[in-house]
Amino acid sequence: MPNLSPGAVISVEHVSKSVSDSTGTLSILRDIDFSLAPRETVAIVGASGSGKSTLLSIIAGLDTPTQGTVHIAGQDIFALSEDARAALRAQKLGFVFQSFQLMGNLTALENVMLPLELMGRKDARKAATEMLGRVGLGQRLGHYPKLLSGGEQQRVALARAFVVQPAVLLADEPTGSLDFATGETVMELMFTLNREQGTTLVLVTHDRAIAARCERRITIEAGALV
């Protein structure tokens, strides 16, 4: 039986990741082990190439570890089929990326409706409209991403992530492509929505000021916890 922390929403258990090619084996992550409680906010920090984004991908089940596993809400995600993992992601996880990852052929409203429609929600339009209003984009519902500023696109991404009320929000350098003032606005909105919904926030960042706003910091150096 895995040694799960009672009540943990995320348990990362002795996760290692290595890749091999003709030149040898590269160790990306080495024996990463920690648990996160519901509503906890944690920043994963470290230099470029330290393995932060790989760890986030493994937590999401988008990448597979060489050793170890991850439990989300008590479920071993790597004991699931790929389809079942995708279903778990849809139900439990929200994502915010540096590059926004919006669908360019969909309007702001359609981008936010998409995860709700995939869940079969009949109120997708209403819920998406309300969430876009919550992030200050009530007048931008019909705009396509190319007509929105970077900050507006990231607010659409926040609306899309939070509209499903995920148990866990995974954010990878969410202000990395924004100027300082816009980034501050986006982060304030992210932390506000996070508190309102009681989400567990896992945030990869280079920004020490952003990391300091989280309750906990996890530092990775050369693939290992420091």
Side-chain angles (χ1 to χ4, degrees), residues 140-184:
R140 297 283 194 271
L141 303 182
H143 286 59
Y144 290 91
K146 67 180 179 181
L147 300 176
L148 300 173
S149 69
E152 287 172 333
Q153 289 186 62
Q154 196 60 300
R155 281 188 279 159
V156 174
L158 281 179
R160 181 182 59 187
F162 279 107
V163 76
V164 298
Q165 298 187 312
V168 177
L169 181 72
L170 304 176
D172 193 357
E173 298 286 2
T175 62
S177 59
L178 304 176
D179 63 72
F180 176 78
T182 304
E184 284 286 295

Side-chain angles (χ1 to χ4, degrees), residues 48-59:
S48 292
S50 59
K52 305 185 302 299
S53 292
T54 299
L55 176 58
L56 204 68
S57 292
I58 288 174
I59 292 172

Side-chain angles (χ1 to χ4, degrees), residues 102-223:
L102 300 178
M103 302 289 286
N105 62 329
L106 300 181
T107 64
L109 179 60
E110 290 166 344
N111 266 283
V112 179
M113 287 173 60
L114 184 60
L116 296 171
E117 291 175 328
L118 292 173
M119 294 169 67
R121 288 268 297 269
K122 302 298 185 185
D123 63 339
R125 180 172 292 273
K126 179 175 182 290
T129 300
E130 290 174 354
M131 183 55 74
L132 281 165
R134 179 67 186 81
V135 301
L137 293 175
Q139 304 304 312
R140 297 283 194 271
L141 303 182
H143 286 59
Y144 290 91
K146 67 180 179 181
L147 300 176
L148 300 173
S149 69
E152 287 172 333
Q153 289 186 62
Q154 196 60 300
R155 281 188 279 159
V156 174
L158 281 179
R160 181 182 59 187
F162 279 107
V163 76
V164 298
Q165 298 187 312
V168 177
L169 181 72
L170 304 176
D172 193 357
E173 298 286 2
T175 62
S177 59
L178 304 176
D179 63 72
F180 176 78
T182 304
E184 284 286 295
T185 300
V186 166
M187 287 311 303
E188 185 61 40
L189 185 56
M190 177 182 290
F191 279 106
T192 298
L193 290 170
N194 200 70
R195 285 192 299 271
E196 289 176 0
Q197 293 197 2
T199 307
T200 299
L201 174 63
V202 184
L203 172 66
V204 165
T205 183
H206 285 96
D207 190 319
R208 292 186 179 186
I210 292 174
R213 297 182 63 172
C214 294
E215 297 163 343
R216 181 175 168 195
R217 272 178 286 181
I218 293 174
T219 302
I220 298 183
E221 191 174 291

